[in-house]
Amino acid sequence: MTVNRCPAKYIADLEEEVAADLFSTNFCSVPIPPSVNFLSFLLHPFPESVPPVYHLCLPSIWSCFPSITVLRFLHVLSSKHFDPNVFGKKNMNSAFGVLTFVFFLFCSKVPLSKSQGFDDETPAAPPPEVESCNGIFLSYEFISRKKEYPHVKNATAQSWAFNATATILNTGTVELKAWKMFIGFQHDEILVSASGAVLMEADDFPAPVGNGTQFSGSPQADLKTSIDTAGDLSQIQVQIMISGTQFGVKPPGIPMPSTIRLVNDGYKCPAPTRRKASMHVCCTRNPKIKAKALKTKFLPRQNGDLSISYDVLQAYQNNYLAQVTMESKNPLGRLDRWNLTWEWMRGEFIFTMRGAYTRKKDCADCIYGMAGQYYNDMDFSKVMNCQKRPIIGDLPRERANDTDVGKLPYCCRNGSLLPPIMDVSKSKSVFQLQVFKLPPDLNRTALYPPEKWKIFGVLSPDYKCGAPLRVDPTEFPDPSGLQATSTAIASWQVVCNITKPTKRNTRCCVSFSAYYNESVIPCNSCACGCDGNKKCNPDAPAMLLPPEALLVPFENRIEKAIAWAKIKHLQIPKPLPCGDNCGVSINWHVNSDYMSGWTARMTLFNWGDLTFEDWFAAIQMKKAYRGYENVYSFNGTLVPELNNTIFFQGLLGLNFLVGETNGSNPRKDPRVPGKQQSVISFTKKLTPGIKIVKGDGFPSRVFFNGEECSLPTHYPTKNGNDRVFVNLVVDIFLILMTTLLLLENHH
């Protein structure tokens, strides 16, 4: 029995020949002229070299068919190795007919079906409103989507892969520096790629952006004007190709964002104009804010709580030397044991460092990546770090004079970055790194900073960092010692600002107590987060405590709290409230209140293992600030420009807040926290009308090492002394009235 099929050996023999001919021939992109007979092309025997007709037809075929399988079939049919007797005359004629139909079907100008692929779709033409926009034109175009696995019946839980395009176009007369665009995603979107920009609020893809996100330009951060570029779209426009996943909107609905807007200062954006699958808006300059004439080519340096400068000091063809300088600008900003991280966007890697080190030294990403293919002769075992997102830490103090990794000003402080109000010389940290580049950036001027900067520390405030901004080159004192300055080759600035901690997301807490109340109001339940313990109630208010309970860890307070509740006839909640879970707690105790002044006692407790060197605390007082008089065991400084803040730090020798230690008998005694304490005196001369008993003696905000602490929701109230006093007066009055009545009756 004859089987009408092409033998496998024909395919195996021809695939290699077809691939070699296809990829070795320089095909032109000339369209197929009408004079070419496609059927004769199919029947043309396969020559040793590709005939001229292939130069005309193959580019169009290649662009029409998404798979090379069809091309291979064409070559098999026309090959000199092909035997029509084996394949079958009838089958061969059918194949020719089918291929002819398919060719003209896919290559015709009339689209018969709409593709779901991102690469096959093109965004719609810009709306006519762009012609009348004199500013920054933003648009968002939804392109396509398809259902993802798993397929579920619940529409809100079904995931859909979607593709979209966001465009930002400068149609004004002022260059837009360091553009930032907000897209208000609202359908639990998860982005997996975004070409032409970087996410400012996410670590890496896949990135959840269901509450909206900001994009910034990378590598094109600035948008020039059409006037200065003769209308060159590549310099005045950026298109962001977005791919991701969204939930909950089933066809025919289209998952559109809630809004789009420009985030740059000095611009105002109206509500976007919406269409079925697109939206656009023209953002114009705020007439109340005049555009500042830049005296230099780049942006001026910005203000922020933490300023990071990325300066290129030396540049070579395939590598450069950079210096990173971090400066704390906020009076309460501080970092302990800082860790800095960023993301390399163009395949760079760190060869050597001075003044800092990477937490992981691993060359695998280089050896098995693009770096290993390009730098064939490099010994990667000597490379500092090849990670895309390295984590960098400060060197300890003992390495400051090390000739290999130290000998750099402002380096090697074990990660401490103090606020300038404490010590200006300790508010700066510096390190250097040698960076190797990859093609196509192999020239001296191809310099790109890393993106997605983040910095964090141990019990330090949370910093949110922006995108790197190209600024004027940093100036340095000339290393020769002469009265001259040298400038960096290129400089970028990253500005980081302190964010206010959300509920249950802080690292320290405060308890309140007073001389007129026997109970202590402890830290809030789960003030610093909860550990998922189901045996306690995270939403229950904390139970009042006796004063001595502040000296023991929370797990040892439970019995004391229950016993105190029974003594005071207080309700005992079931289940019991959870602990505060804070590493540092502060007790503010109103110590006394007299006619001309009052005093308070501040106690700091360290429940962790780490010792805090050069600690500081700060309080803000709404009514008592002007009455501050003295602090006796701390250094105290008034900071009026910072919302009436009083700044405290330890005296020399008392500037260490040690960690928790074992009790005298570890088997039965609880662990003992590290402690610092001082009495603070206030006068009433400058604060007439202050009412300490009504809560005016308690701070409105408390900070420890720059981190804002959680405060109780209420103040201690005066005990029953008032009621006893009132009752005594009433009793005396009743006795007097009764005596008078008896005397009158007697007479």
Side-chain angles (χ1 to χ4, degrees), residues 45-344:
F46 196 91
E48 293 297 327
S49 60
V50 178
V53 69
Y54 273 69
H55 289 264
L56 298 175
C57 291
L58 280 179
S60 295
I61 296 174
W62 186 275
S63 63
C64 292
F65 294 95
S67 173
I68 196 174
T69 304
V70 177
L71 285 177
R72 287 176 175 173
F73 189 35
L74 289 174
H75 286 301
V76 170
L77 292 177
S78 58
S79 172
K80 63 184 179 181
H81 301 295
F82 182 73
D83 187 355
N85 294 323
V86 177
F87 192 80
K89 183 177 181 180
K90 183 177 180 180
N91 291 340
M92 185 172 67
N93 292 335
S94 299
F96 287 155
V98 170
L99 289 175
T100 303
F101 171 75
V102 171
F103 175 79
F104 287 106
L105 176 66
F106 282 92
C107 296
S108 63
K109 296 295 184 180
V110 181
L112 298 182
S113 65
K114 187 173 182 179
S115 172
Q116 296 296 321
F118 183 67
D119 295 333
D120 298 327
E121 297 284 354
T122 56
E129 289 83 355
V130 72
E131 303 295 335
S132 59
C133 178
N134 184 5
I136 307 298
F137 188 82
L138 308 176
S139 66
Y140 180 90
E141 302 280 347
F142 177 83
I143 295 178
S144 65
R145 67 170 173 171
K146 62 180 179 180
K147 186 180 288 189
E148 294 179 335
Y149 293 110
H151 295 174
V152 296
K153 294 181 179 180
N154 186 356
T156 59
Q158 179 60 57
S159 60
W160 299 80
F162 77 97
N163 299 308
T165 299
T167 304
I168 177 169
L169 172 65
N170 188 355
T171 59
T173 58
V174 179
E175 182 179 358
L176 180 63
K177 293 282 190 179
W179 64 264
K180 295 186 285 289
M181 179 181 182
F182 175 82
I183 301 180
F185 293 110
Q186 58 179 342
H187 302 291
D188 296 328
E189 288 88 347
I190 300 174
L191 298 190
V192 297
S193 68
S195 62
V198 293
L199 295 176
M200 298 184 63
E201 302 171 353
D203 293 336
D204 202 354
F205 296 112
V209 294
N211 293 324
T213 190
Q214 288 186 23
F215 292 91
S216 63
S218 176
Q220 186 176 345
D222 304 331
L223 296 179
K224 299 182 181 298
T225 66
S226 180
I227 299 172
D228 295 335
T229 61
D232 184 2
L233 279 177
S234 64
Q235 299 185 60
I236 67 175
Q237 174 183 273
V238 170
Q239 283 192 328
I240 310 171
M241 304 299 179
I242 301 172
S243 295
T245 296
Q246 60 87 24
F247 293 84
V249 181
K250 61 180 181 180
I254 297 178
M256 295 293 292
S258 60
T259 187
I260 55 174
R261 66 175 181 268
L262 188 68
V263 186
N264 295 63
D265 296 333
Y267 286 86
K268 59 178 183 178
C269 301
T273 301
R274 301 174 183 273
R275 295 177 180 170
K276 185 177 181 181
S278 66
M279 63 171 57
H280 62 268
V281 64
C282 179
C283 300
T284 57
R285 291 198 63 84
N286 190 336
K288 297 180 180 180
I289 302 176
K290 294 183 179 180
K292 296 181 180 179
L294 298 178
K295 299 180 180 179
T296 58
K297 182 179 179 181
F298 305 108
L299 284 172
R301 294 183 182 267
Q302 310 294 311
N303 295 321
D305 295 327
L306 179 69
S307 176
I308 305 177
S309 182
Y310 189 83
D311 304 306
V312 177
L313 306 182
Q314 300 172 7
Y316 306 95
Q317 181 178 355
N318 64 345
N319 70 91
Y320 64 86
L321 177 67
Q323 178 169 293
V324 178
T325 304
M326 299 182 291
E327 290 187 78
S328 178
K329 301 288 188 178
N330 190 300
L332 300 181
R334 178 190 177 119
L335 283 163
D336 286 289
R337 295 175 176 85
W338 58 257
N339 286 278
L340 178 67
T341 183
W342 58 56
E343 182 174 332
W344 296 114

Side-chain angles (χ1 to χ4, degrees), residues 470-642:
R470 186 74 182 267
V471 294
D472 295 331
T474 305
E475 295 184 349
F476 303 96
D478 192 83
S480 65
L482 299 175
Q483 292 185 353
T485 58
S486 59
T487 59
I489 297 172
S491 296
W492 288 265
Q493 185 194 25
V494 177
V495 176
C496 305
N497 290 309
I498 297 174
T499 60
K500 187 174 182 178
T502 57
K503 184 180 180 181
R504 298 181 178 176
N505 194 31
T506 183
R507 298 178 181 87
C508 58
C509 65
V510 179
S511 60
F512 287 157
S513 59
Y515 71 92
Y516 50 79
N517 194 308
E518 294 179 343
S519 297
V520 175
I521 299 178
C523 294
N524 297 324
S525 301
C526 298
C528 299
C530 274
D531 53 6
N533 185 0
K534 296 182 179 180
K535 296 182 179 180
C536 63
N537 186 356
D539 299 318
M543 297 178 63
L544 299 180
L545 299 174
E548 65 271 12
L550 292 176
L551 300 174
V552 296
F554 176 81
E555 54 269 19
N556 300 101
R557 297 179 188 175
I558 298 176
E559 294 182 1
K560 293 180 179 293
I562 294 175
W564 187 253
K566 292 179 179 179
I567 293 173
K568 295 296 181 179
H569 305 288
L570 302 174
Q571 185 178 1
I572 301 175
K574 292 183 180 180
L576 294 173
C578 298
D580 54 71
N581 297 316
C582 293
V584 172
S585 63
I586 299 174
N587 174 249
W588 182 270
H589 177 77
V590 176
N591 206 36
S592 65
D593 182 19
Y594 45 93
M595 185 175 296
S596 60
W598 60 282
T599 62
R601 184 178 68 241
M602 186 177 187
T603 308
L604 287 75
F605 299 97
N606 182 3
W607 303 99
D609 296 326
L610 297 175
T611 297
F612 294 100
E613 183 182 357
D614 294 325
W615 63 267
F616 76 83
I619 61 171
Q620 290 182 3
M621 309 285 290
K622 289 183 177 179
K623 297 183 178 180
Y625 169 79
R626 296 183 61 202
Y628 170 75
E629 193 173 42
N630 198 5
V631 59
Y632 299 97
S633 299
F634 303 156
N635 272 328
T637 305
L638 293 175
V639 190
E641 66 274 11
L642 199 63

Side-chain angles (χ1 to χ4, degrees), residues 693-711:
V693 177
K694 298 295 184 180
D696 292 346
F698 292 95
S700 58
R701 297 178 75 183
V702 178
F703 301 84
F704 177 78
N705 278 5
E707 173 80 5
E708 186 170 357
C709 303
S710 171
L711 296 181

